[in-house]
Amino acid sequence: MKIALMDSGIGLLAAAAALRRLRPDADLVLSSAPASMPWGPRTPQYVTEHALACAKAAAAERPDALIVACNTASVHALPALRQHLEPDIPVIGTVPAVKPAAAAGGPVAIWATPATTGSDYQRALIAEFADGVRVTEVACPGLADALQDADDAAIDAAIASAAQHTPGDVRSVVLGCTHYELVTDRIRAAVQPPTAPEIVMYGSADAVAAQALRRIGATPAPDAEPTGGLTVLLNGRPEPLEAAALAYAEGRELAGAAATH
């Protein structure tokens, strides 16, 4: 079993680590294009062009499925990716977890890139799944870039700024950019009032990993022999895992599993 994931940068680590936990025997292909970052503020045409390049590089490894582990690419490039790859390779997009967060009751905050915040796409998700629930859209300028660079000071500053724009009574936070899931605990700590019940964080990694397995007719087997390999493609070329990836638990988890066989 081989599953590919694509993103502009290291935002794909969370879904890749979730897949590794569900199927330690699956081979993973991580295809990203850090030279083309950031995708968030770019035109749909730019995003689609670079997402297709990532997807084609991943498809050359003959995966059983491709996860688009990027919210921006899922918004702008999913139709083109599916047209190019399906039905040979199922393509699974990433959708912010607005539905389960709203179903659990509000108030809800959605942290996302400035380009996604207030977009027609995000507003449509809110209208469809969070009708009657108070939702606050929180733009997080600079956070994805800081995470991509593993710049701790910049990460802390971006999180602190976004936390100031997050209402103090929210019960859950939707992480609307896959990069943000790499610092879920740090975001929770920044928005958590000292005496309130623990704020629930909603990412997409676990759901998208499970969906990829369903699409190829596989089931979770967390106790399987950890034989899965790891192939990293940066800008279409085989490379080691980026140094910045090792700053995060998910990156270290993937690197450690790959080094054992």
Side-chain angles (χ1 to χ4, degrees):
M1 183 194 314
K2 182 184 288 187
I3 298 177
L5 302 94
M6 58 149 289
D7 182 27
S8 57
I10 59 175
L12 47 65
L13 292 176
L19 270 172
R20 180 64 84 219
R21 291 189 289 269
L22 289 175
R23 290 300 299 245
D25 57 339
D27 292 330
L28 301 181
V29 178
L30 312 184
S31 180
S32 62
S36 68
M37 284 191 70
W39 287 2
R42 304 288 190 171
T43 65
Q45 181 180 353
Y46 180 98
V47 173
T48 298
E49 176 185 333
H50 289 279
L52 276 171
C54 276
K56 289 174 181 177
E61 300 292 323
R62 303 180 64 82
D64 298 300
L66 172 72
I67 292 174
V68 184
C70 173
N71 295 93
T72 299
S74 295
V75 171
H76 295 309
L78 208 52
L81 294 171
R82 286 181 166 149
Q83 182 179 11
H84 184 77
L85 297 177
E86 291 185 341
D88 295 336
I89 302 174
V91 177
I92 298 94
T94 298
V95 177
V98 175
K99 184 177 181 179
V108 175
I110 305 175
W111 282 35
T113 64
T116 299
T117 301
S119 66
D120 291 343
Y121 169 75
Q122 187 160 289
R123 291 282 166 85
L125 286 176
I126 294 168
E128 183 175 0
F129 297 120
D131 186 34
V133 175
R134 178 155 61 84
V135 176
T136 302
E137 296 179 274
V138 180
C140 305
L143 181 53
D145 291 339
L147 287 162
Q148 181 66 28
D149 295 335
D151 182 335
D152 270 331
I155 292 168
D156 287 342
I159 289 176
S161 176
Q164 289 181 343
H165 294 90
T166 303
D169 61 346
V170 298
R171 293 176 55 186
S172 59
V173 174
V174 175
L175 302 176
C177 170
T178 54
H179 276 76
Y180 300 174
E181 295 187 56
L182 299 174
V183 288
T184 298
D185 291 343
R186 288 164 73 172
I187 293 173
R188 181 191 284 112
V191 297
Q192 178 67 52
T195 58
E198 185 172 79
I199 291 174
V200 181
M201 310 298 286
Y202 286 90
S204 304
D206 291 336
V208 84
Q211 174 66 2
L213 293 182
R214 283 194 294 270
R215 285 288 301 273
I216 62 174
T219 55
D223 297 326
E225 197 70 24
T227 56
L230 182 69
T231 299
V232 177
L233 304 173
L234 298 181
N235 306 306
R237 296 183 299 274
E239 301 277 1
L241 197 61
E242 292 175 87
L246 302 179
Y248 306 102
E250 293 86 347
R252 295 190 294 272
E253 182 181 339
L254 290 163
T260 59
H261 56 274

